[in-house]
Amino acid sequence: MKKVFERPRLLKPATFHFCPGCGHNILHRVIAEVLEESDFRERAIMIAPVGCAVLAYFYLDIDVTEAPHGRCTAVATGIKRAIPNSLVFTYQGDGDLASIGAGETLHAAGRGEKVTTIYVNNANYGMTGGQMAPTTMLNQVTTTCSAGRSAEREGYPLDMSKILASLPGVCYVERVALTSPANVQKFKKALRKAFQYQTEGLGFSLIEVLSTCPTNWKLTPVDSLKWIEEVMTKSYPPGVLVDRKANRGDSE
Amino acid sequence: MLTKMVFSGFGGQGIMMMGYALANAVMKDGHEVTLLPAYGAEVRGGSANCTIAISDDEIASPVASAPEFIVVMSTPAFLRFQNHIKSGGMLILNSSLIEGETIREDIKVIPVPAGKWALELGDLRVANFVMLGAFARLTGLVALKSLEEALVSLFPARKAKLLELNQRALRFGYQTIEKEEK
Amino acid sequence: MKSSANKVLLSGNHAVAEAAIRAGCHLYFGYPITPQNEIPEYMSEHLPKIKGGAFVQAESELAAINMVLGAAATGRRVMTTSSSPGISLMQEGISYLAALELPCVIANMVRGGPGLGNIATAQSDYFQSTRGGGHGDYRTITLAPCTVQEIYDLTQLGFYLADKYRGPVIIQGEGLLGQMVEPVELKEPDKKDLPPKDWALTGAKDRPGRMLRSLILEEGILEEHNWKLNRKYLEIEKKEKRFESFRMEDANLAVVAYGSVARIAKGAIKRVREEGLKVGMIRPISLWPFPGEAIRKAAEKVSQFLVIELSCGQMIEDVRLALAGKAEVNFYGRPGGGVIPNPAEFGRVISRNYYQKVRKAR
Ligand SMILES: Cc1ncc(C[n+]2csc(CCOP(=O)(O)OP(=O)(O)O)c2C)c(N)n1
Ligand code: SF4
Ligand SMILES: [Mg+2]
């Protein structure tokens, strides 16, 4: 009998600590699947963030280091410069990347570091219990903007992908909404492409993932998916924000 | 004398409210009290619990390694906490939700159908205060009147109806146990 | 039984926030970190309702402490709070606050380290707080509460001392103290005899411009500035040492402990006293300035000291320095971030130390 579904080899036999219905569950699995293909695994070095995904090293059977909160892309720079042939990728939440790590992110991208970032946007600080993040949308309620985010009080949300896409050192930015099997495939394709571009030395690449956090959104897993489709994608529309190779006309 | 107890169940059952109500009541009665919610990683997975210590002297530690009284509102809480209880202590369980028996023979086990009684009052959400009323009667640690007064500071003035319902729940739990004892 | 008429139940974290607001601190800048998120959450709820109040969730602790620096420069009361990893990030700013002599209060709800550690309670940031933490020759007043009431009181005292001596004050809380709930009497803050803030930047209307600076290139002037800071630190050492002495009247053995460990040790001492052991405790309330004389003085009668900490041994260095070899110093500690010890455990350790000494003496 042919096996149609199995545990990716690179996923260690550990139980995820994530909440039920959390987008991190899916992402970890899919990353394992992509890494299994080609020679990615033996070159890969991952930088885990401070956030709900900090325990990535318990799940993925590849080389992983932790970084202080927000400093992933600085650590990635160090690794990549030390081993230029490695496949270096960071996995960061929106608080980690767009708030405390905004400086490191901007400058790694600005320098055009040949690393890849998976940017998990769940519009709040998951791990610390649902505080406002830079991505929290206007009127969205969190524990530190209990009256809903207001432009006057808390200021406007930041769209980091859009900002980064404008930098010449950045070769590829795509945003996907992790809401359906078809969209999961889109993420896989994007990740493969980002790894390919990194291997070709084209520059900094980033994939933003709109990802569920049912616990802090106080929604069921199913309603969380709906909320991404109906609310989040209005502020953060999925699609390719920049693809310099395609623009040059020499993509596959 | 120092007495320690744990209230436990799952998130949404109002476990912390029970703790706050009890702590408030014994504070107003002039006792020393500490209340310690479980925090952090422990909270994941939907469980909730808090530890209360009551004394007439300063309380050294808000933690209880072997509490005298444990109230469990859910099966996972029952499975987890039945072994913690001090020998000779009392385990009060929400028999509307919890099946299964304890293996401990050195403790007193008192089933209280808090869920069922709450439904008799028309609202399952007050099971926590039905239980707290029963707890007050069973342990003699706090007067019913003190608890009823403590609830006033837990509910904002505009929620008078809710306050009244929860006070009724306290009385119902207390008095039903009292009747059963007779 | 004590009067409890005007007491309310507060968690340690909420007590920090409420004490600050009542002390007139209506400006708060911070970044989320467990186990102290209840403080920014409380501030975000209450400060926007106060006229002139502001809460900003900063993009990092680095930004938060510099927002504090800016607000403090205007002479208004301001605070930030965090827990160990976040406090590490603030060290640069704290050095500048000390150099610029700007008052503010910083509460650290210490958690297990080093690195990310975990969110359980710990006392492993003693060195960081009492030795300055950042670069340069400076000190920060560090106050260590052991009850929620004391968290409230010391937070208010912190604002007072910050204004009095012009500098950052650290409230050395602990994860456990921040989470636990106890009755608190909401006292009114002391504001008497504070010097005027004639250095504050408020706009140079009808007066010459003022400057706040820590870059001092002129020959000999930086040295002079450091001497001036030093005179201030010496004055603080003279006037602001605080400690609690417990059952020391006839003690043969003195426990030295602070914060949560001290309250647990107190329970242990009561137990061993029932068995006839003559044990007392000195509890430093100000970790800097450290109440060294009190310990030295105790050594006139006590020959054995037992330092207990939720770390592998940090405060013990100050106890040894204070005693300068005058008495035997033993240590019992467990790294933070793990199990919270109970009075029975401390009681066993105290008895063991007590009887070993007695046996040796025979
Ligand atoms: C220096 C420092 N500050 C704060 C924290 C606390 N902290 C842990 S995770 C986190 C934010 C996580 O949010 P995000 O990056 O959006 O990841 P998510 O959990 O939502 O996936 C914060 C503030 C820390 N660990 N270190
Ligand atoms: S808190 Fe949110 S982001 Fe974190 S594991 Fe739970 S659902 Fe996922
Ligand atoms: Mg997030």
Side-chain angles (χ1 to χ4, degrees):
Chain A
M1 198 162 60
K2 186 170 173 270
K3 251 198 193 160
V4 290
F5 188 80
E6 64 183 338
R7 188 180 192 89
R9 267 183 303 117
L10 293 189
L11 218 47
K12 294 183 188 173
T15 313
F16 285 145
H17 72 285
F18 304 115
C19 309
C22 172
H24 286 305
N25 288 302
I26 305 169
L27 279 171
H28 276 57
R29 189 191 161 86
V30 175
I31 290 170
E33 286 172 5
V34 171
L35 286 169
E36 271 180 25
E37 305 161 6
S38 73
D39 68 339
F40 288 148
R41 178 186 185 256
E42 49 203 71
R43 292 191 296 127
I45 302 176
M46 174 185 190
I47 299 99
V50 173
C52 281
V54 62
L55 299 180
Y57 35 70
F58 284 162
Y59 309 130
L60 294 171
D61 185 16
I62 55 170
D63 284 358
V64 186
T65 180
E66 197 175 274
H69 193 22
R71 315 298 172 215
C72 293
T73 49
V75 173
T77 300
I79 294 175
K80 187 74 183 186
R81 296 293 176 125
I83 311 179
N85 183 35
S86 53
L87 182 84
V88 179
F89 70 101
T90 72
Y91 182 109
Q92 301 176 255
D94 42 349
D96 197 78
L97 182 141
S99 190
I100 189 167
E104 282 77 1
T105 308
L106 202 59
H107 286 279
R111 289 191 303 269
E113 292 296 337
K114 297 168 187 75
V115 300
T116 301
T117 288
I118 299 165
Y119 171 35
V120 186
N121 178 356
N122 57 14
N124 82 100
Y125 286 23
M127 188 185 220
T128 42
Q131 292 82 10
M132 187 181 76
T135 45
T136 296
M137 294 162 287
L138 292 179
N139 300 321
Q140 188 187 335
V141 171
T142 72
T143 62
T144 47
C145 54
S146 53
R149 183 173 194 153
S150 95
E152 171 61 26
R153 227 183 5 251
E154 287 90 14
Y156 297 94
L158 266 184
D159 185 342
M160 278 298 268
S161 296
K162 208 165 158 185
I163 296 169
L164 296 172
S166 71
L167 302 175
V170 176
C171 64
Y172 174 50
V173 177
E174 176 159 359
R175 176 151 51 213
V176 292
L178 209 61
T179 51
S180 65
N183 284 341
V184 171
Q185 287 311 314
K186 265 192 197 150
F187 170 73
K188 264 176 114 164
K189 225 177 114 204
L191 188 59
R192 270 187 218 116
K193 190 187 224 172
F195 283 169
Q196 183 54 39
Y197 283 15
Q198 182 182 152
T199 308
E200 290 171 24
L202 298 183
F204 185 87
S205 51
L206 178 141
I207 303 156
E208 176 178 340
V209 185
L210 307 182
S211 168
T212 50
C213 177
T215 302
N216 290 314
W217 295 353
K218 300 192 168 53
L219 295 175
T220 63
V222 174
D223 286 344
S224 298
L225 295 173
K226 251 194 242 152
W227 194 73
I228 291 185
E229 294 280 6
E230 287 164 14
V231 181
M232 270 188 96
T233 55
K234 298 280 179 309
S235 296
Y236 305 106
V240 176
L241 282 78
V242 71
D243 183 339
R244 297 207 194 278
K245 192 170 173 186
N247 292 352
R248 281 209 313 262
D250 56 359
S251 72
E252 69 273 64
Chain B
M1 205 189 53
L2 174 69
T3 313
K4 292 195 175 179
M5 63 225 73
V6 167
F7 295 166
S8 176
F10 48 76
Q13 276 183 317
I15 303 292
M16 276 309 290
M17 286 287 269
M18 291 170 73
Y20 263 101
L22 177 62
N24 232 303
V26 296
M27 171 181 82
K28 296 252 160 68
D29 284 349
H31 304 285
E32 296 287 341
V33 63
T34 64
L35 164 66
L36 182 69
Y39 73 96
E42 250 189 295
V43 182
R44 285 272 162 79
S47 76
N49 74 71
C50 61
T51 304
I52 300 116
I54 303 173
S55 178
D56 286 322
D57 192 7
E58 287 169 295
I59 295 165
S61 171
V63 180
S65 33
E68 281 91 351
F69 301 102
I70 294 190
V71 176
V72 289
M73 296 293 282
S74 70
T75 303
F78 166 67
L79 295 175
R80 174 165 167 207
F81 282 103
Q82 60 167 336
N83 295 328
H84 290 221
I85 210 161
K86 191 175 186 165
S87 193
M90 186 190 286
L91 178 71
I92 307 171
L93 54 85
N94 177 9
S95 55
S96 308
L97 259 187
I98 301 168
E99 289 171 25
E101 282 178 17
T102 174
I103 32 167
R104 297 275 303 262
E105 289 179 354
D106 59 335
I107 57 171
K108 218 166 157 182
V109 180
I110 315 247
V112 173
K116 182 165 156 262
W117 292 355
L119 283 176
E120 283 174 32
L121 290 170
D123 195 336
L124 184 60
R125 283 174 308 173
V126 298
N128 59 341
F129 285 129
V130 170
M131 180 56 105
L132 189 60
F135 172 87
R137 173 68 208 177
L138 287 164
T139 61
L141 281 172
V142 61
L144 177 62
K145 194 164 152 291
S146 304
L147 281 178
E148 284 185 48
E149 282 166 18
L151 283 202
V152 177
S153 53
L154 288 187
F155 292 93
R158 65 194 149 78
K159 294 204 168 154
K161 252 196 167 145
L162 212 57
L163 169 65
E164 200 278 322
L165 173 66
N166 281 287
Q167 285 175 325
R168 198 139 46 86
L170 278 174
R171 281 195 297 276
F172 190 87
Y174 189 97
Q175 287 159 358
T176 315
I177 288 287
E178 195 175 30
K179 264 184 242 145
E180 282 183 3
E181 279 172 356
K182 278 174 193 157
Chain C
M1 275 186 212
K2 290 173 213 118
S3 146
S4 54
N6 45 4
K7 285 193 178 171
V8 294
L9 282 180
L10 283 182
S11 72
N13 283 334
H14 285 170
V16 168
E18 189 58 36
I21 294 174
R22 282 174 189 255
C25 165
H26 298 161
L27 299 170
Y28 177 97
F29 307 95
Y31 186 75
I33 186 166
T34 316
Q36 62 83 59
N37 289 320
E38 294 79 5
I39 304 175
E41 286 169 358
Y42 193 91
M43 291 301 203
S44 74
E45 180 88 32
H46 289 88
L47 292 184
K49 293 179 194 150
I50 296 173
K51 193 161 176 289
F55 163 88
V56 176
Q57 184 178 309
E59 69 271 30
S60 69
E61 290 86 354
L62 198 56
I65 194 71
N66 287 296
M67 292 174 186
V68 167
L69 192 154
T74 70
R76 290 186 62 189
R77 284 191 164 174
V78 56
M79 95 177 307
T80 186
T81 64
S82 187
S83 180
S84 311
I87 299 285
S88 288
L89 264 181
M90 292 184 185
Q91 293 305 330
E92 179 193 50
I94 297 173
S95 169
Y96 279 74
L97 284 157
L100 300 173
E101 298 189 84
L102 294 176
C104 67
V105 171
I106 301 157
N108 180 3
M109 295 298 166
V110 181
R111 62 185 238 179
L116 210 45
N118 68 18
I119 61 173
T121 203
Q123 295 190 323
S124 35
D125 295 356
Y126 181 93
F127 283 151
Q128 189 190 49
S129 302
T130 59
R131 267 50 177 180
H135 66 283
D137 220 349
Y138 75 96
R139 296 289 182 148
T140 41
I141 295 177
T142 304
L143 305 172
C146 79
T147 62
V148 177
Q149 179 71 58
E150 213 177 24
I151 289 181
Y152 182 93
D153 296 345
L154 292 182
T155 300
Q156 294 203 330
L157 176 67
F159 281 103
Y160 182 83
L161 295 177
D163 280 350
K164 182 164 178 194
Y165 294 104
R166 286 187 58 184
V169 170
I170 293 175
I171 306 300
Q172 191 87 347
E174 294 165 38
L176 177 68
L177 295 171
Q179 293 299 316
M180 67 186 281
V181 176
E182 280 186 315
V184 177
E185 189 190 332
L186 302 174
K187 301 174 192 162
E188 285 312 312
D190 184 0
K191 284 193 174 172
K192 59 174 181 297
D193 300 329
L194 284 175
K197 293 186 171 174
D198 53 10
W199 44 265
L201 309 187
T202 53
K205 183 167 183 287
D206 303 329
R207 60 163 172 78
R210 294 168 176 167
M211 64 177 165
L212 293 167
R213 62 163 188 163
S214 71
L215 175 68
I216 302 174
L217 299 172
E218 305 88 328
E219 176 111 13
I221 304 296
L222 178 59
E223 183 175 355
E224 193 39 57
H225 179 60
N226 269 306
W227 281 125
K228 181 184 145 216
L229 290 179
N230 187 248
R231 281 193 293 279
K232 174 165 84 177
Y233 298 143
L234 290 176
E235 187 190 343
I236 295 172
E237 284 196 320
K238 212 153 105 198
K239 294 187 182 156
E240 305 299 344
K241 286 181 180 159
R242 287 174 167 79
F243 65 94
E244 179 196 351
S245 180
F246 175 70
R247 308 282 324 248
M248 285 295 292
E249 62 285 350
D250 61 347
N252 295 325
L253 182 152
V255 171
V256 186
Y258 72 94
S260 66
V261 170
R263 63 184 287 160
I264 298 168
K266 204 183 241 185
I269 291 169
K270 286 178 190 162
R271 285 171 181 232
V272 299
R273 280 256 170 198
E274 275 168 25
E275 294 159 18
L277 278 68
K278 290 182 178 161
V279 179
M281 176 166 70
I282 295 174
R283 173 174 75 92
I285 295 171
S286 56
L287 302 183
W288 190 87
F290 187 74
E293 288 87 52
I295 290 171
R296 201 152 44 241
K297 196 142 175 290
E300 288 166 11
K301 290 197 211 149
V302 177
S303 59
Q304 196 193 5
F305 288 78
L306 174 64
V307 179
I308 311 183
E309 297 179 65
L310 215 53
S311 78
C312 294
Q314 302 195 5
M315 182 177 69
I316 186 172
E317 295 196 359
D318 282 334
V319 176
R320 284 215 180 98
L321 278 173
L323 287 169
K326 282 208 182 69
E328 186 180 326
V329 185
N330 291 313
F331 178 73
Y332 181 73
R334 289 173 69 158
V339 182
I340 298 163
N342 57 39
E345 176 180 340
F346 284 173
R348 282 194 297 277
V349 174
I350 293 170
S351 306
R352 194 164 63 228
N353 273 272
Y354 193 89
Y355 285 119
Q356 266 166 8
K357 179 77 181 176
V358 172
R359 222 177 294 132
K360 257 192 255 168
R362 284 203 198 109

